[in-house]
């Protein structure tokens, strides 16, 4: 494995210097690969059919009706996670987290008590307190956000995200991962991201070491309205440019290092692109350099506003005939978020991207600490140093990631055994980051190297 890595590095440097069309070697972990192969389209289809069967999942719908409304949906998800507990070696658990929102004068118009359903896959290393969160919302709406009576299938928004998370719960609860996964089936999204806000507050209050938040909202539609563009080979990952929580001191460091394109959320987005494309064939991940779409929100945002690395994962093209519409036919156009609008092969691949990214990250060592670059000397070399992580398993090595300043993606990586590197490229012409790597090649998130004091 080490020899192979070294070869990759040599090839990487050679090709990076000579051509952008370099070959890449896909080193897949067999455990992750087989979990991706086990993703069941039948399971996801059945789950979305069941979700649609709850008729209307509006936050104002019934919490007590046995077969319809948001309460019955929450109970269904709770019970579904329960069915996976026996095969989890007692690592999987599930709870309902109730909270009260709304009131006169709010978008809800009255006060309601709803709940999130939170599945926890406990990490196997007691010395490692890292957590990774996956989000999807199970509330929905039709053409009127206050209508809790008429049919609102919500197959794609966000039945697709819920089905993705449930498959990941099933598959990753069977695998020994050192890091804890928090799989959050959220309510309250359509009226103001309330369920996510509740969980982000809880994470902050309880001081979670939450290293990544992946929000999946609408990942199953492959057809654009209006332009009729069909695409089931590309997936968007939105990430904030400058952290929402940036302080004056953070701003000073960012400006000094020209780190406008290197927020922690952006590193997470790049990580998902690299890992997802490694494990899922026939797919390209498109990084969108904005927090979310114009005028619209998502459940990752309450988390990024608390300072966590958080991204929104979303289909390449949206279908506005299907989203937030009453089910009907007009002038030959079918409106409404019905299950017929889901491309299940697309949903399968997008679930694989999530699963592989989360599993690879959960198997990786913690990030290197104090990643620093020497910038005070006049030299045509770049000198970097860092500290090994204080918790979790020790890295077998590190990757120094390199890209030219006008490039979007990390272009090459150098394998380093110790905690420093001296590289014959000018510090002025490149950006650098460092990842911790274990003996099997699982990489941590990248930490951008900064200089100055
Ligand atoms: Zn949504």
């Amino acid at each position: 494995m080490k020899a192979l890595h070294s070869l990759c590095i040599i090839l990487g440097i050679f090709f990076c210097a000579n051509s952008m069309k370099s070959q890449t070697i896909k080193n897949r972990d067999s455990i992750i690969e087989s979990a991706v192969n086990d993703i069941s389209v039948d399971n996801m289809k059945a789950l979305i059919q069941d979700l649609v069967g709850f008729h209307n999942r509006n936050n104002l719908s019934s919490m007590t009706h046995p077969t319809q409304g948001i309460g019955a949906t929450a109970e269904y998800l709770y019970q579904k996670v329960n069915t996976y507990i026996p095969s989890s070696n007692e690592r999987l658990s599930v709870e309902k987290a109730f909270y009260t929102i709304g009131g006169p004068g709010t978008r809800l118009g009255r006060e309601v008590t709803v709940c999130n359903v939170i599945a926890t896959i406990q990490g196997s290393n007691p010395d490692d307190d890292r957590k990774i969160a996956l989000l999807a919302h199970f509330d929905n709406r039709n053409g009127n956000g206050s209508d809790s009576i008429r049919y609102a299938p919500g197959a794609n928004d966000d039945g697709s995200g819920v089905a993705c998370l449930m498959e990941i719960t099933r598959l990753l609860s069977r695998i020994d991962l050192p890091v804890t996964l928090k799989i959050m089936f959220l309510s309250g999204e359509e009226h103001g991201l309330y369920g996510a806000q509740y969980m982000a507050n809880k994470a902050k209050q309880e001081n979670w070491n939450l290293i990544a938040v992946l929000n999946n909202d609408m990942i199953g539609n492959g057809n654009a309205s209006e332009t009729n563009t069909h695409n089931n080979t590309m997936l968007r990952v939105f990430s904030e440019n400058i952290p929402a929580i940036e302080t004056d001191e953070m701003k000073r460091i960012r400006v000094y290092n020209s780190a406008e394109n290197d927020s922690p959320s952006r590193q997470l987005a790049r990580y998902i692109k690299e890992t997802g494309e490694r494990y899922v064939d026939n797919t390209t991940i498109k990084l969108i350099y904005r927090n979310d779409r114009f005028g619209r929100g998502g459940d990752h945002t309450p988390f990024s506003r608390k300072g966590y690395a958080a991204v929104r994962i979303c289909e390449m093209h949206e279908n506005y005939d299907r989203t937030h519409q009453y089910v009907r036919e007009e002038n030959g156009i079918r409106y409404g978020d019905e299950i017929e609008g889901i491309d299940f092969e697309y949903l399968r691949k997008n679930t694989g991207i999530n699963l592989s990214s989360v599993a690879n990250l959960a198997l990786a060592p913690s990030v290197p600490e104090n990643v620093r670059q020497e910038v005070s000397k006049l030299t045509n070399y770049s000198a970097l140093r860092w500290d090994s992580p204080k918790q979790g398993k020790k890295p077998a090595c590190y990757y120094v990631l390199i890209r030219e300043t006008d490039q979007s993606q990390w272009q090459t990586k150098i394998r380093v055994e110790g905690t420093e590197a001296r590289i014959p490229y000018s510090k002025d012409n490149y950006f650098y980051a460092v990842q911790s790597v274990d003996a099997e090649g699982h990489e941590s998130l990248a930490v951008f190297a900064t200089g100055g004091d």
Side-chain angles (χ1 to χ4, degrees), residues 282-294:
N282 198 17
T283 200
T284 302
I285 294 165
K286 194 80 188 158
L287 300 188
I288 306 293
Y289 288 175
R290 45 171 45 116
N291 181 54
D292 208 332
R293 303 142 310 148
F294 279 114

Side-chain angles (χ1 to χ4, degrees), residues 137 139 156-158 189-190 216-218 293 297 312 323-324:
H137 70 90
D139 64 313
N156 189 46
D157 185 11
D158 185 25
E189 197 270 352
E190 299 288 7
N216 282 272
D217 197 349
M218 298 195 294
R293 303 142 310 148
R312 181 203 180 99
T323 313
H324 298 184

